[in-house]
Amino acid sequence: EELPASFELISAYPNPFNPTTTVTLRVNQADEIAIELFDVIGRRVKVFGATYFPAGEHGVRVDAAGLPSGAYWIRATGTRHSAGRMVLLQK
């Protein structure tokens, strides 16, 4: 299996979502990575904790239950960081 060339957080699928989605994380070297969710004004609204990821591509489940509908930023941070935008549509 070919390893990713860089550290990258790929958009959520599905997006918009309700209330769970999966983001793809490409890791070019093993690292402990924290996943965080921010609202549009930059307040951190959810922390998914730091998890060890070996090099490769990983699906990360994001559960935004309890948060209001709206646009959010998701950020993955290890020795590097990457971010993406998601839209939550609560029923």
Side-chain angles (χ1 to χ4, degrees):
E1 181 179 320
E2 190 173 315
L3 293 177
S6 63
F7 180 85
E8 183 178 18
L9 182 71
I10 308 296
S11 293
Y13 181 81
N15 189 15
F17 68 102
N18 173 28
T20 61
T21 190
T22 300
V23 294
T24 300
L25 182 60
R26 292 183 180 153
V27 181
N28 60 334
Q29 64 184 33
D31 200 356
E32 190 165 313
I33 299 167
I35 308 290
E36 301 169 298
L37 200 59
F38 296 86
D39 65 14
V40 293
I41 61 172
R43 292 180 298 196
R44 185 172 48 205
V45 295
K46 202 155 197 177
V47 177
F48 299 99
T51 303
Y52 175 81
F53 288 92
E57 188 170 291
H58 308 277
V60 178
R61 185 175 179 269
V62 175
D63 186 348
L67 295 176
S69 294
Y72 291 89
W73 288 96
I74 187 163
R75 181 174 70 183
T77 305
T79 53
R80 304 181 112 194
H81 69 274
S82 183
R85 187 172 176 266
M86 305 185 325
V87 176
L88 171 62
L89 293 177
Q90 296 285 20
K91 291 182 180 178

